[in-house]
């Protein structure tokens, strides 16, 4: 049996809004390096493929599309790229995948930031580009307006996608510009030729001259091509428009199926989007499913814990992803069942930290190993290596030769 | 000399270090020269500086690769990582040294920069600093959504507003706004992060997403020497690092800048003057001088000498012999053959006149002249001589300290830290160990005043109009 890939999505004190109130949470430390270092080292002890860091330009909210004024949930985050960078020297194998906004930011800065994370981590960087449509986020920049979703819109992911198509199109341009900037230096551009006094071979650096409908970037990057050539681009996709973004621009996509049959249906929709957009440079596209997980060894305990947290928060926690409660063994059953639909792995969102992360590394991982479905040692040093993805060729390399 | 230097205790010397970036400072042809990209290089330099109990480690920035005569400039080190990302990684492998990033205020937005600096301050436990710079040409703008969207004068009013907006964002969370009261169920104060800032360049409002950084405000650094730049620093900066390498020039600058603080309700101690300098050490004065000459020859090779002259002359000089006399053609002082550099931006005709006079008087070749003006280390001598010179600059109020730019990466600071720093420590003018955790502690700077009324709209002070040369894209 080939091994599953496992990633963990880290955010605050966990994905349940009341998780910060758990006895083993340290909510006063959420904005310290120590909190995050402990979590990522634990994930690396479990030999997981990578961790992701959530981020957004605005404060968290219980509503998808607008701010709230709640004071009983975690509010405030650190910049995810910088957070990932601070964890790079403390780890050696695990991939580090920050989320960044691509609607109000500069593609040039995104390209150099992620490339720099790849340099600092020696080839373990990934990236999750994310759009934002919140009017409140746009007001933080004062430069443009974005479509404001209504309460009715947010009930249907296809409606959301349709309303935000232009932002997705722009996101695709950002990904393309960033990838070109990563390629704008050939791997051997630095020659240090003392005889001729040349530090670089200027013919192996390239203006990218990206000109899209929304912006233009001249290039080349200020940062040499990162160790992986192209850090791993990952996209979370719930509907047709983001499937297209994933198909055209991503190396890895997170889907949110709610059953094995639903996984099959979503994979079919993704395959259709992929077929419609040839991706000669980027195949294969890895597919992970997202799950929120509450794990405890004794049957029924995880569900009871979630209910207790729901009571504290005043509402039953739901998510775009399936919410799983159960034992590590039951979760292993589910993971191995759904993967038959064609999944490469899973991104698990721990309901509460550190509890549900530790349950993954010390409960689920050994369980999967017993079933010969998970690695027993890291066998690659880069994130692409862990995922068995090749280092991409540089699109400009042949053009650069005199 | 100051009136009564003996009556006051010796001033403490502030020391900082900078990774040599993309100017010809770096002698990349030296076999000891390592990668300017690999994280190991940054780690080694920063750890060395921390071993020397330096105040901070500094990185400059560039947002467009330089071009000379229409092609990428290929003679100097090219390529660097994004500063804040590297400094965040360094926060994990250092514990006390300040981490200073140059971040451009033209091609960024206050919300994002304030957030990233607050993040670095959180991750480092209060060690972040920001060197506020602005770009000066549409050439750099070609890499950004906004392009060249401001005229030159507006770029500097934007810089001042940018800084004020960032401070409004940091102030939007008060100390203690993160309550994290699990039993009571209160994580934050209700209005935490609410801000509004309106000015000519920014009209922004909402909720800031990152709690107040440990230092309150990261330390603000400014480089600039025009009257407007000095005024900006006096009003708004914690550190200024303009370069005045002789004692008399340094003292005049020091007097002038410190004299401007009172009208902003600040004391002279609230702005530290820490110029950026290069150096060469030797066991004897003669050996140091020879070492300095070797460094200069390696920094300004024949091609670099011609390139520097072309930038100054504003025209192609490729037909001239670098080891021969100065060009007999007239300069085109307004022509731009080099883009992305800040050298020779102002007063080029005057500079050409001085260079010609000097070359004629002393019979210098093109390369000798370029070395004379662009390659000579600032401090040259034995460790004792350099320590004494540093101390003299500081005790006689020509500076509060120095940012040292070695000519080698990553080992270039070792001799300074191993041989000069102990002498400064013996003299009692440099700390034996850090006494506080934050960069503000190292610099002797007070915490910023805590915000009293969160949330209300904040009208900016009228930004001062700063001239083009008051803020530089490339730091020296």
């Amino acid at each position: 049996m080939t091994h599953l890939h496992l990633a963990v999505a880290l955010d605050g004190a966990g994905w349940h809004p009341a998780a910060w109130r758990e006895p083993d949470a340290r909510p006063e430390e959420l904005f310290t390096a120590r909190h995050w270092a402990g979590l990522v080292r634990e994930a690396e002890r479990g030999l997981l493929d990578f961790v992701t860091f959530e981020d957004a330009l605005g404060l968290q909210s219980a509503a998808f599309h607008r701010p709230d004024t709640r004071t009983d949930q975690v509010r405030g985050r650190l910049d995810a790229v910088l957070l990932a960078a601070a964890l790079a020297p403390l780890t050696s194998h695990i991939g580090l995948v920050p989320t960044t906004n691509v609607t109000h930011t500069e593609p040039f800065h995104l390209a150099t930031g992620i490339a720099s994370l790849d340099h600092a981590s020696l080839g373990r960087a990934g990236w999750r580009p994310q759009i934002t449509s919140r009017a409140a986020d746009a007001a933080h920049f004062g430069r443009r307006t974005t479509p404001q979703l209504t309460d009715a819109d947010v009930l249907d992911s296809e409606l959301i996608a349709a309303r935000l198509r232009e932002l997705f199109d722009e996101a695709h341009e950002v990904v393309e510009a960033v990838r070109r900037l990563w390629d704008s230096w050939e791997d051997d551009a630095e020659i240090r030729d003392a005889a001729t006094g040349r530090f670089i071979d200027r013919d192996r650096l390239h203006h990218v001259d990206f000109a899209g409908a929304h912006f233009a970037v001249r290039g080349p990057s200020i940062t040499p091509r990162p160790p992986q050539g192209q850090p791993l681009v990952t996209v979370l996709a719930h509907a047709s428009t983001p499937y297209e973004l994933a198909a055209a621009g991503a190396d890895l996509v997170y889907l949110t199926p709610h059953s094995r049959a639903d996984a099959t249906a979503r994979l079919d929709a993704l395959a259709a989007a992929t077929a419609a957009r040839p991706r000669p440079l980027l195949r294969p596209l890895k597919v992970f499913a997202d799950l929120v997980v509450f794990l405890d060894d004794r049957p029924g305990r995880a569900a009871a814990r979630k209910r207790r947290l729901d009571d504290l928060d005043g509402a039953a926690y739901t998510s775009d992803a399936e919410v799983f409660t159960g034992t590590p063994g039951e979760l292993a059953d589910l993971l191995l069942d759904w993967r038959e639909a064609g999944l490469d792995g899973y991104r698990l969102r721990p309901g509460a930290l550190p509890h549900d992360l530790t349950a993954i590394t010390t409960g689920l991982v050994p369980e999967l190993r017993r079933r010969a479905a998970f690695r027993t040692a890291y066998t690659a040093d880069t994130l692409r290596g862990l995922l068995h993805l090749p280092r991409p060729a540089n699109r400009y390399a042949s053009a650069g030769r005199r | 000399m100051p009136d009564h230097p003996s009556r006051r205790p010796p001033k403490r010397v502030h020391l900082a270090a900078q990774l040599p970036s993309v100017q010809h400072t770096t002698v990349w042809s030296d076999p000891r020269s390592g990668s300017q990209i690999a994280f190991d290089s940054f780690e080694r330099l920063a750890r060395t500086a921390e071993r020397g109990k330096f105040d901070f480690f500094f990185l400059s920035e560039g947002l467009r690769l330089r071009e000379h005569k229409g092609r990428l400039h290929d003679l100097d080190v090219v390529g660097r990582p994004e500063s804040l990302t590297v400094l965040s990684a360094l926060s994990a492998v250092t514990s006390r040294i300040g981490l200073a990033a140059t971040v451009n205020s033209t091609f960024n937005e206050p919300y994002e920069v304030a957030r990233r600096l607050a993040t670095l301050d959180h991750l480092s436990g209060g060690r972040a600093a920001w060197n506020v710079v602005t770009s000066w040409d549409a050439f750099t703008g070609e890499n950004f959504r906004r392009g060249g969207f401001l005229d030159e004068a507006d770029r500097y009013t934007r810089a001042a507003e940018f800084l004020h907006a960032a401070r409004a964002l940091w102030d939007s969370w008060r100390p203690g706004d993160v309550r994290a009261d699990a039993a009571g169920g209160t994580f934050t104060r209700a209005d935490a992060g609410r801000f509004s800032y309106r000015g000519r360049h920014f009209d922004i409002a909402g909720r800031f997403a990152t709690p107040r950084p440990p230092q309150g405000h990261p330390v603000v650094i400014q480089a600039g020497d025009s009257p407007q730049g000095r005024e900006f620093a006096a009003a708004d900066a914690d550190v200024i690092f303009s370069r005045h390498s002789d004692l008399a020039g340094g003292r005049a600058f020091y007097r002038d800048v410190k004299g401007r603080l009172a009208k902003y309700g600040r004391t002279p101690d609230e702005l530290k003057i820490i110029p950026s300098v290069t150096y060469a050490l030797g066991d004897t004065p003669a050996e140091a001088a020879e070492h300095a000459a070797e460094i200069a020859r390696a920094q300004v090779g024949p091609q670099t000498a011609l390139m520097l002259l072309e930038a100054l002359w504003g025209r192609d000089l490729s037909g001239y012999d670098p080891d021969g006399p100065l060009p007999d053609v007239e300069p085109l002082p307004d022509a731009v053959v080099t883009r992305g550099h800040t050298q020779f931006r102002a007063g080029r005709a005057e500079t050409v006149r001085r260079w010609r006079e000097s070359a004629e008087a002393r019979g210098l070749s093109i390369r000798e002249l370029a070395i004379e003006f662009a390659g000579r280390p600032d401090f040259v001598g034995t460790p004792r001589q350099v320590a004494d010179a540093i101390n003299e600059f500081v005790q006689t109020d020509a500076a509060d300290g120095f940012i040292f730019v070695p000519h080698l990466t990553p080992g270039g600071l070792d001799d300074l830290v191993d041989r000069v720093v102990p002498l400064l420590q013996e003299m009692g003018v440099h700390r034996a160990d850090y006494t506080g955790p934050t960069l503000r502690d190292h610099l002797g700077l007070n915490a910023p005043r805590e915000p009293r009324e969160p949330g209300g709209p904040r009208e900016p002070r009228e930004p001062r109009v700063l001239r083009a040369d008051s803020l530089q894209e490339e730091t020296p």
Side-chain angles (χ1 to χ4, degrees):
Chain A
M1 184 188 288
T2 56
H3 291 162
L4 272 180
H5 294 288
L6 278 186
V8 165
L10 297 177
D11 188 22
W15 285 71
H16 195 290
W20 69 275
R21 300 175 68 176
E22 286 285 82
D24 63 344
R26 295 179 184 275
E28 68 284 358
E29 291 186 6
L30 291 184
F31 308 104
T32 65
R34 185 178 124 142
H35 168 77
W36 298 95
L39 297 174
V40 176
R41 282 175 164 151
E42 180 59 34
E44 189 167 70
R45 271 193 290 275
L47 308 186
L48 303 191
D49 289 83
F50 60 94
V51 291
T52 63
F53 305 94
E54 299 301 307
D55 203 0
L57 289 171
L59 212 53
Q60 299 95 321
S61 168
F64 175 77
H65 58 307
R66 54 180 157 75
D68 68 10
T69 55
R70 290 182 75 148
T71 60
D72 64 332
Q73 299 180 349
V74 169
R75 294 291 181 267
R77 279 194 183 108
L78 301 176
D79 177 276
V81 175
L82 301 189
L83 175 58
L87 299 166
L90 304 178
T91 51
S92 58
H93 286 86
I94 195 162
L96 303 166
V97 182
T99 297
T100 77
N101 175 269
V102 295
T103 302
H104 299 292
T105 48
E106 291 285 357
F108 192 87
H109 294 320
L110 296 173
T112 57
I114 300 294
S116 300
L117 175 62
D118 207 43
H119 282 290
S121 64
L122 307 177
R124 295 184 284 128
W127 176 37
R128 179 161 85 93
Q130 184 182 40
I131 66 158
T132 175
S133 69
R134 285 185 187 171
D137 290 359
H140 294 160
F141 291 79
R143 287 173 56 184
R144 64 189 290 189
T145 55
T146 46
Q148 177 56 51
L149 297 175
T150 66
D151 289 349
D153 288 336
V154 300
L155 298 176
D156 180 340
S157 53
E158 282 297 338
L159 266 181
I160 296 175
R163 293 261 284 149
L164 304 183
R165 168 165 280 284
E166 190 174 346
L167 295 182
F168 280 104
D169 288 345
E170 185 182 13
H172 180 213
E173 289 190 358
V174 172
V175 171
E176 175 63 17
V178 165
R179 285 189 182 276
R180 286 198 204 180
L181 286 165
W182 288 338
D183 277 351
S184 65
W185 288 61
E186 295 184 34
D187 291 319
D188 52 1
E190 186 182 310
I191 54 172
R192 297 194 183 223
D193 184 2
T196 60
R198 294 178 307 144
F199 182 80
I200 49 156
D201 177 353
R202 55 174 40 139
D203 293 325
R204 297 183 209 181
L205 272 76
H206 305 275
H207 291 120
V208 303
D209 285 326
F210 179 85
H214 301 86
F215 60 86
V217 176
R218 175 90 167 116
S221 177
I222 56 163
T223 307
R225 194 160 191 251
Q228 294 183 98
Q230 303 254 334
L232 189 79
V233 180
T234 73
V235 166
L236 173 63
H238 302 98
S240 52
T241 303
Y243 289 159
E244 288 165 22
L245 173 65
D251 300 301
L252 186 151
V253 57
Y254 315 104
L255 302 179
T256 52
H258 293 274
S259 66
R260 177 169 163 177
D262 189 26
T264 301
R266 287 171 191 260
L267 280 158
D268 287 347
L270 178 69
T274 306
R277 301 189 81 144
R279 353 177 323 117
L281 290 173
L282 305 173
R283 289 181 189 283
L285 177 64
K286 294 284 178 186
V287 184
F288 279 35
D290 268 20
L291 288 169
V292 182
V293 297
F294 295 83
L295 294 171
D296 286 279
D297 288 336
R298 279 168 47 191
R301 180 168 280 196
R305 184 160 54 89
K306 176 177 178 296
R307 277 196 301 276
R308 182 166 52 73
L309 289 169
D310 287 348
D311 288 344
L312 274 176
D313 192 53
Y317 172 68
T318 60
S319 170
D320 55 325
E322 177 71 8
V323 179
F324 174 89
T325 59
T327 65
E330 288 164 348
L331 180 57
D333 291 342
L334 181 150
L335 301 185
L336 295 176
D337 178 33
W338 289 18
R339 77 182 294 199
E340 297 305 318
L343 298 169
D344 297 298
Y346 295 87
R347 184 175 73 148
L348 305 178
R349 307 180 190 175
L353 294 169
H355 180 98
D356 292 308
L357 171 64
T358 313
I360 290 167
T361 54
T362 63
L364 175 67
V365 162
E367 181 65 33
L368 288 171
R369 266 190 210 130
R370 271 194 288 279
R371 306 183 194 193
F374 196 69
R375 66 170 66 90
T376 53
Y378 280 118
T379 53
D381 293 329
T382 69
L383 179 52
R384 282 185 174 274
L386 289 179
L387 293 166
H388 310 296
L389 287 169
R391 188 175 190 274
N394 189 323
R395 76 192 68 192
Y396 300 111
S398 56
R401 293 291 174 273
R402 282 164 292 185
Chain B
M1 295 291 286
D3 292 339
H4 301 289
S6 58
R7 290 191 186 168
R8 62 180 190 190
K11 282 168 65 183
R12 202 170 64 186
V13 175
H14 294 285
L15 299 179
Q18 178 183 344
L19 182 102
S21 53
V22 297
Q23 308 292 2
H24 58 265
T25 308
T26 296
V27 180
W28 55 259
S29 56
D30 190 300
R32 294 166 295 175
S33 174
S35 171
Q36 81 289 354
I37 294 298
F39 181 68
D40 280 355
S41 294
F42 292 86
E43 180 173 352
R44 172 148 176 218
L45 267 167
R47 281 183 186 269
T48 303
E50 188 167 68
R51 180 158 60 80
K53 315 298 177 192
F54 282 33
D55 290 33
F56 59 90
F57 179 68
F58 177 81
L59 294 178
S60 57
E61 180 193 52
L63 297 176
R64 176 91 194 253
L65 297 186
R66 297 164 298 159
E67 295 187 3
H68 183 69
K69 295 194 289 190
R71 304 187 68 192
L72 289 173
H73 177 61
D74 59 1
L75 300 176
D76 301 333
V77 164
V78 178
R80 49 180 150 193
E82 194 278 316
S83 297
L84 282 168
T85 308
V86 178
L87 293 176
S88 283
L90 288 176
S91 74
V93 294
T94 56
S95 60
R96 291 298 184 94
I97 193 164
L99 303 165
T102 303
V103 182
N104 184 292
S105 64
T106 305
F107 298 110
N108 281 291
E109 298 297 325
Y111 192 95
E112 205 177 2
V113 170
R115 208 167 159 252
R116 303 189 84 213
L117 285 160
T119 294
L120 178 62
D121 210 46
H122 279 288
L123 291 171
S124 64
R127 298 188 278 139
W130 171 27
N131 175 35
V132 186
V133 297
T134 181
S135 287
W136 52 274
D137 63 353
F139 176 71
T140 304
E142 288 177 3
N143 278 336
F144 297 96
R145 287 173 183 260
R146 298 197 96 158
F149 71 108
L150 284 173
D151 68 46
E152 183 134 337
D154 275 349
R155 293 198 178 114
Y156 305 101
T157 60
R158 179 179 160 100
E161 272 196 23
F162 195 111
L163 174 56
H164 298 160
R167 286 184 169 145
L169 289 160
W170 293 326
D171 282 347
S172 69
W173 289 73
R174 291 177 297 180
D177 272 1
V178 176
R179 308 276 165 89
D181 171 11
T186 302
F187 189 82
T188 56
R189 180 178 61 84
D191 250 2
R194 191 168 298 286
F195 73 94
S196 167
Y197 181 92
R198 279 195 296 275
R200 276 180 51 211
H201 296 276
F202 303 103
D203 183 359
I204 57 177
R207 302 278 299 273
F208 188 51
T210 303
R212 187 174 182 81
Q215 291 188 105
H217 301 168
V219 169
V220 170
I221 304 175
Q222 196 263 344
D225 205 5
S226 68
Q228 294 86 347
R230 296 177 187 205
E231 211 61 33
F232 179 87
D236 270 322
D238 300 306
V239 173
I240 183 168
F241 66 82
S242 299
R243 175 192 180 106
H244 291 272
S245 50
D246 68 280
L247 271 173
R251 286 177 198 148
F253 178 75
Y254 195 100
R255 253 193 322 274
D256 178 82
V257 172
K258 298 262 179 171
R260 294 171 190 254
L261 286 152
K263 62 174 164 285
Y264 299 102
R266 307 177 72 199
T267 65
D269 278 350
E270 291 179 61
L271 176 67
K272 305 298 179 190
I273 298 176
I274 307 181
S276 176
V277 292
T278 52
Y279 69 96
L281 297 178
D283 288 337
T284 63
E287 191 184 303
E290 177 50 32
H291 187 206
E294 275 169 25
I295 293 171
R297 277 195 299 274
Q299 287 172 328
V300 185
Q303 299 93 336
T304 296
L306 263 191
M307 185 279 292
L308 289 169
L309 235 65
E310 287 176 332
L312 185 56
W313 252 248
R315 60 191 299 169
D316 176 61
L317 301 174
S318 52
Y320 290 86
D321 177 2
D323 294 319
L326 258 55
D328 47 13
V329 295
E330 285 310 300
L332 306 170
D334 295 326
V336 175
V337 296
T338 306
R339 300 200 292 176
H341 287 261
T342 53
Q343 297 145 317
F344 310 134
R345 288 186 50 215
R348 267 162 50 187
E350 166 62 17
T351 305
V352 167
R353 193 185 60 72
R354 277 195 295 117
W355 282 35
R356 273 196 158 150
E357 273 178 15
S358 182
E360 278 163 25
R362 299 161 60 192
L364 299 179
S365 70
I366 287 175
R367 187 176 173 202
E368 287 163 343
L369 184 78
I371 285 173
E372 191 67 18
F373 283 98
R376 195 173 45 179
D378 297 293
F379 285 116
V380 177
T382 64
R384 170 61 61 188
Q385 286 176 316
V386 170
D388 285 344
I390 292 168
N391 195 40
E392 186 182 11
F393 268 83
V394 172
Q395 301 311 329
T396 64
D397 287 347
D400 292 314
F402 294 97
I403 301 177
F404 287 92
V405 190
H407 67 280
L408 289 176
T409 301
L413 270 184
D414 292 357
D415 55 356
L416 189 81
V417 166
D418 292 336
R419 305 183 69 191
V420 177
V421 164
L423 299 176
L424 293 168
Q425 287 168 326
E426 278 171 28
M427 292 153 76
V429 295
H430 183 56
R431 62 176 71 86
D433 201 355
Y434 294 103
T435 52
T438 71
L439 177 55
R440 283 184 180 275
D441 293 333
H442 309 339
L443 290 168
L445 296 169
N446 294 325
R449 271 191 290 276
E450 287 177 8
R452 287 193 203 91
E453 291 299 321
R458 222 173 275 267
E459 298 299 337
R461 282 171 286 180
E462 185 58 31
R464 288 156 296 283
V465 177
L466 305 176
R467 257 205 351 236
D469 58 346
S470 66
L471 295 158
Q472 305 165 358
E473 179 188 354
E474 279 293 342
T475 54

